[in-house]
């Protein structure tokens, strides 16, 4: 009986040592990753946070700009899908770029 207990104790201790070795290996890898990340971030410039304007006018302008961008993108996708010639696609691209300020001023009444 005592031999069986000694064998089981030895198995438990071997399993505990194996787990400890795995844990030490994981910790060593994590430490190397942290050190590498620290060296890389020390070289990179710090990120500058730019605060957004917070009023209702700023939010409305962001929403309008998002609508303009989505409509412009949809226009380009439709032009590329529906038009066959490169000249027509290029013409739609150039005209949409040139007409965006005019349409924004007319539709949203921006006088800047």
């Amino acid at each position: 009986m005592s031999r069986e207990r000694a064998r089981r104790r030895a198995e438990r201790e071997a399993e505990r040592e194996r787990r400890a070795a795995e844990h030490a290996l994981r910790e060593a890898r994590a430490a190397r990753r942290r050190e590498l990340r620290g060296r890389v971030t020390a070289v990179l410039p710090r990120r500058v946070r730019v605060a957004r304007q917070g009023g209702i006018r700023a939010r409305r302008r962001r929403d309008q700009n998002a609508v303009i961008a989505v409509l412009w993108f949809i226009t380009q996708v439709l032009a590329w899908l529906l038009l066959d010639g490169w000249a027509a696609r290029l013409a739609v691209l150039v005209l949409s770029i040139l007409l965006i300020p005019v349409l924004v001023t007319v539709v949203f009444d921006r006088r800047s």
Side-chain angles (χ1 to χ4, degrees), residues 13 48 68 73 79 111:
E13 288 176 1
V48 177
I68 292 165
F73 183 74
R111 297 179 189 130

Side-chain angles (χ1 to χ4, degrees), residues 16-91:
R16 190 177 311 126
E17 288 175 7
R18 186 186 63 77
R19 285 183 185 164
E22 286 178 0
H23 181 70
L25 183 63
R26 279 195 304 268
E27 286 297 318
R29 286 180 183 163
R32 283 193 303 266
R33 264 195 312 270
R34 281 192 299 270
E35 181 195 356
L36 179 62
R37 186 179 302 132
R39 280 190 275 153
V40 169
T41 55
V43 174
L44 295 175
R46 296 272 183 219
R47 223 170 55 171
V48 177
R49 288 187 56 111
V50 178
R52 277 185 172 180
Q53 294 292 326
I56 189 167
R57 293 177 64 201
R59 187 172 60 235
R60 185 182 308 145
R61 184 158 185 140
R62 279 194 301 272
D63 292 343
Q64 289 174 354
N65 287 341
V67 168
I68 292 165
V70 167
L71 289 177
W72 182 85
F73 183 74
I74 290 172
T75 303
Q76 297 307 309
V77 168
L78 288 176
W80 280 81
L81 292 176
L82 298 177
L83 298 175
D84 293 330
W86 284 95
R89 293 173 178 170
L90 187 62

